[in-house]
Amino acid sequence: MDRVVIRFAGDSGDGMQLTGDRFTSETAQLGNDISTLPNFPAEIRAPAGTLPGVSSFQVHFADYDILTPGDAPNVLVAMNPAALKANVGDLRRGADIIVNTDEFTRRNLVKVGYAVSPLEDGSLEGFVVHPVALTSMTVGALAELSVSKKDAERAKNMFALGLLSWMYSRPYESTLRFLERKFVKRPDLVAANVAAFKAGWNYGETTDSFSVRYEVKPAKMVPGTYRNITGNAALSLGLVAAGVRSGLPVFLGAYPITPASDILHELSKHKKLGVVTMQAEDEIAAVGAALGASYGGALGVTTTSGPGVALKSETISLAVALELPLVVVDVQRAGPSTGLPTKTEQADLNMALHGRHGEAPVAVIAAKSPSDCFHAALEAARIALTYRTPVILLSDNYVANGSEPWLLPDVDALPDLRVEFATAPNGDDGVTFLPYLRDPDTLARPWAVPGTPGLQHRIGGLEKADKTGDISYDPANHDYMVRTRAARIEAIDVPDLDVDDPDGTARTLVLGWGSTYGPIGAACRTLRHRGQPIAQAHLRHLNPLPGNLGDVLSAYDRVVIPEMNLGQLAQVIRARYLIDAITYNQVRGLPFTAAELETMLEEVCKNA
């Protein structure tokens, strides 16, 4: 086969995220291109066997370059009736369904509204159903081991992993080593999980239910060393690299919040590379500590999601007034308020652009894929350090928890981010330090580390006098400083927007930002294969926008902007460029599928 989409689904206590992650790791070793979509409930432990408690992990792997986790699974592993009911509607006809028949009890069926078992009423006739007694077979395979029945039942996810690994010819040695490390303090659990995995593999080998094994050959990729990486991990390593390339310590002030917490977890591992992490008591303390670190000469970073950005807004405004570097990472989730904490959305753009009082512009950029988070973090650091400004880096739950292969970069080829601190007075008299005397190219002010002799200066949120930084209530000075801070953002060096228009004959442009990159790209690729010319462009820099964006937009008859919000980028495009963009919006807590965008874009082109 050239591609496969598998979804593991079960109760939130069934280990589906671990199972999917291990299958992904095995697949990565074979050199397939990979894209994943974890999907889990917000509750720490929803009621067992219920629809709100279903957790799933989807992995798409192929022998060619892929852009999304896939639209419709070829295989669904359903550990209980709830998992089947929650996911069967996403399957294409003819898909394989592996069901754990031990969980299809009368009680579990009633919990999710099944009057009759779907395994018996003919409702699954369009699929290839494989009934497997996963739980009892796992318990039977571990009967001679010294583990409790409860621990034996918990190992059923490893049975399922072994079976799927056999079906798709995945290697398994790394999984066995992983189990040895994970349960190193419990040799009995190592033995149980290894035995369950091997039992699943052997079941596939010997049963008549699975008569065919499949192979997906490695993808053709740029030569180099790869690792499978999530968006949050890539973003973390991007911040580490920014510290290395700038020669500055990286300070992270963070308060745990879904789905950004993994950045704090990852960065806390890298103390040897000059990273200091502080888990603050709240969001306001976290950003305050990060800004204080920047004042002290470090690269200050704070990570959060939408609710945290709302709380941090006053301190971000302070960073605007102080004109100090600050990287604010917003891993977006569905809102408003607490919203859907574990579901994706890209509805924080308006807040990133305008969510502060007064005229307080900041730079805004967005990552487009899990591996791109590394480069987006480096770019955020470059802008913050060069222009002495807060930068809001937008990721989202889909990008943060999804994974894909990442080509390890040559560190020496990464951007040089070194900065020069102020070391001496800069006034005409040779003894006065003017903290708001600006670089003529970047409009950035000097960065003076506290304690440097002769560079004492006033800080705080009250308006500053030009050059001297003294408190000023002068109307003309305030007008000048407001305009200068805005001009500093507009002065940021932003690359021109690249347009993917292979034959140059397209009359429709699809413009996206953030995590819509993959679905848009996959939809455009399919339409081109069918002979429909269509162009695609994707924005990384959202403030300031690329200088050639106006020319790009005016070169096409129609501009379509798909967003997982109600049209926030479209509002900006309409206001700035007077382009009557066609919007396509959804706020379902799920990413677009390539198929739905393909259908919509085909209609736009057809009706032009």
Side-chain angles (χ1 to χ4, degrees):
M1 304 180 74
D2 62 349
R3 58 179 288 272
V4 178
V5 180
I6 299 174
R7 183 180 297 175
F8 298 92
D11 193 68
S12 57
D14 285 338
M16 294 296 93
Q17 303 304 319
L18 175 63
T19 307
D21 183 68
R22 291 316 308 164
F23 189 91
T24 301
S25 296
E26 294 171 358
T27 299
Q29 292 183 63
L30 288 180
N32 298 126
D33 198 14
I34 307 168
S35 182
T36 69
L37 178 62
N39 191 0
F40 38 84
E43 290 79 7
I44 294 174
R45 190 67 174 90
T50 63
L51 291 173
V54 174
S55 174
S56 67
F57 188 106
Q58 182 163 305
V59 54
H60 181 194
F61 57 104
D63 64 5
Y64 60 90
D65 171 43
I66 56 176
L67 297 171
T68 74
D71 291 352
N74 305 103
V75 181
L76 171 66
V77 179
M79 303 298 277
N80 60 21
L84 177 64
K85 188 167 188 177
N87 293 281
V88 69
D90 295 335
L91 303 180
R92 64 184 78 213
R93 289 187 64 82
D96 287 292
I97 304 177
I98 300 171
V99 292
N100 179 14
T101 55
D102 289 323
E103 293 297 321
F104 277 68
T105 63
R106 178 65 184 166
R107 182 185 180 194
N108 285 344
L109 291 168
V110 170
K111 278 185 182 179
V112 294
Y114 281 128
V116 180
S117 172
L119 304 181
E120 301 169 356
D121 65 2
S123 61
L124 301 179
E125 286 183 355
F127 309 105
V128 180
V129 180
H130 305 275
V132 182
L134 282 169
T135 305
S136 57
M137 291 178 69
T138 302
V139 172
L142 308 186
E144 298 182 1
L145 299 179
S146 57
V147 293
S148 66
K149 183 181 178 183
K150 184 177 182 181
D151 285 336
E153 291 177 347
R154 283 177 173 173
K156 63 183 179 289
N157 65 324
M158 288 297 107
F159 188 104
L161 179 59
L163 173 57
L164 269 293
S165 297
W166 176 85
M167 284 180 63
Y168 291 96
S169 308
R170 304 293 94 181
Y172 60 80
E173 291 79 7
S174 65
T175 291
L176 301 185
R177 292 194 296 270
F178 167 81
L179 293 172
E180 291 173 357
R181 293 194 305 271
K182 182 175 178 62
F183 300 110
V184 64
K185 297 181 179 179
R186 292 282 307 274
D188 57 329
L189 294 185
V190 173
N193 281 277
V194 168
F197 180 91
K198 291 181 176 179
W201 180 284
N202 293 334
Y203 178 74
E205 187 78 50
T206 57
T207 183
D208 292 335
S209 298
F210 301 94
S211 57
V212 179
R213 292 185 77 189
Y214 302 95
E215 179 184 5
V216 179
K217 293 182 178 180
K220 294 181 180 179
M221 305 173 77
V222 176
T225 301
Y226 287 81
R227 61 164 286 186
N228 187 49
I229 199 165
T230 66
N232 275 343
L235 197 152
S236 302
L237 295 182
L239 293 172
V240 173
V244 171
R245 297 298 289 166
S246 66
L248 300 177
V250 175
F251 178 91
L252 173 68
Y255 179 77
I257 183 172
T258 301
S261 299
D262 282 343
I263 302 174
L264 171 61
H265 302 160
E266 180 65 31
L267 284 177
S268 67
K269 303 173 184 177
H270 299 293
K271 296 177 183 178
K272 292 182 179 179
L273 292 173
V275 179
V276 176
T277 55
M278 186 191 82
Q279 180 174 318
E281 65 268 30
D282 56 44
E283 296 282 6
I284 298 172
V287 68
L291 182 56
S294 288
Y295 175 61
L299 173 57
V301 181
T302 188
T303 54
T304 189
S305 191
V309 177
L311 291 166
K312 295 177 191 290
S313 62
E314 183 178 6
T315 305
I316 297 173
S317 291
L318 176 59
V320 171
L322 295 180
E323 300 187 33
L324 286 171
L326 178 68
V327 175
V328 180
V329 178
D330 177 5
V331 185
Q332 301 166 93
R333 70 190 205 189
S337 188
T338 309
L340 305 175
T342 60
K343 309 303 178 184
T344 197
E345 204 164 273
Q346 51 175 180
D348 291 354
L349 179 59
N350 279 342
M351 180 166 64
L353 294 173
H354 310 297
R356 292 158 299 281
H357 66 284
E359 295 286 347
V362 302
V364 180
I365 68 173
K368 66 182 182 181
S369 70
S371 63
D372 183 59
C373 287
F374 176 84
H375 302 286
L378 274 171
E379 176 66 357
R382 179 190 73 86
I383 294 172
L385 294 172
T386 303
Y387 297 90
R388 313 284 197 268
T389 179
V391 179
I392 296 181
L393 169 54
L394 295 172
S395 175
D396 65 42
N397 190 56
Y398 171 36
V399 165
N401 289 310
S403 64
E404 64 184 2
W406 174 52
L407 176 63
L408 270 60
D410 176 4
V411 175
D412 293 335
L414 297 177
D416 184 348
L417 303 181
R418 286 174 294 183
V419 298
E420 294 184 4
F421 292 108
T423 57
N426 58 0
D428 292 336
D429 58 7
V431 296
T432 303
F433 176 58
L434 301 174
Y436 284 82
L437 183 67
R438 301 178 182 279
D439 180 286
D441 296 322
T442 65
L443 298 181
R445 76 175 187 91
W447 191 359
V449 176
T452 306
L455 303 190
Q456 297 92 332
H457 59 285
R458 184 187 301 272
I459 64 167
L462 291 171
E463 183 61 282
K464 307 291 185 294
D466 179 38
K467 298 184 179 63
T468 67
D470 294 335
I471 294 173
S472 173
Y473 293 95
D474 178 67
N477 176 80
H478 179 57
D479 184 89
Y480 175 80
M481 294 295 279
V482 166
R483 295 177 185 276
T484 302
R485 287 189 287 264
R488 181 166 46 93
I489 300 301
E490 291 300 320
I492 293 172
D493 180 22
V494 171
D496 280 347
L497 180 65
D498 289 329
V499 181
D500 182 13
D501 187 358
D503 56 11
T505 62
R507 304 314 311 150
T508 299
L509 171 71
V510 189
L511 182 67
W513 69 276
S515 65
T516 56
Y517 172 78
I520 291 174
C524 289
R525 178 186 287 178
T526 302
L527 289 174
R528 289 170 189 154
H529 285 169
R530 297 216 304 261
Q532 176 65 61
I534 193 164
Q536 176 190 4
H538 210 75
L539 290 168
R540 162 166 299 195
H541 296 86
L542 296 160
N543 193 39
L545 292 162
N548 70 330
L549 179 55
D551 293 336
V552 168
L553 295 173
S554 62
Y556 293 89
D557 297 338
R558 295 165 298 279
V559 177
V560 184
I561 305 179
E563 296 181 81
M564 291 187 293
N565 57 47
L566 296 184
Q568 296 184 15
L569 176 62
Q571 291 174 351
V572 173
I573 296 301
R574 286 168 172 163
R576 175 74 72 91
Y577 302 102
L578 303 181
I579 296 289
D580 188 18
I582 300 169
T583 60
Y584 185 78
N585 308 108
Q586 69 168 33
V587 279
R588 299 182 300 149
L590 295 169
F592 288 116
T593 65
E596 66 182 308
L597 292 184
E598 177 190 330
T599 301
M600 179 271 295
L601 292 172
E602 190 171 35
E603 285 298 312
V604 170
C605 295
K606 186 184 300 183
N607 297 328

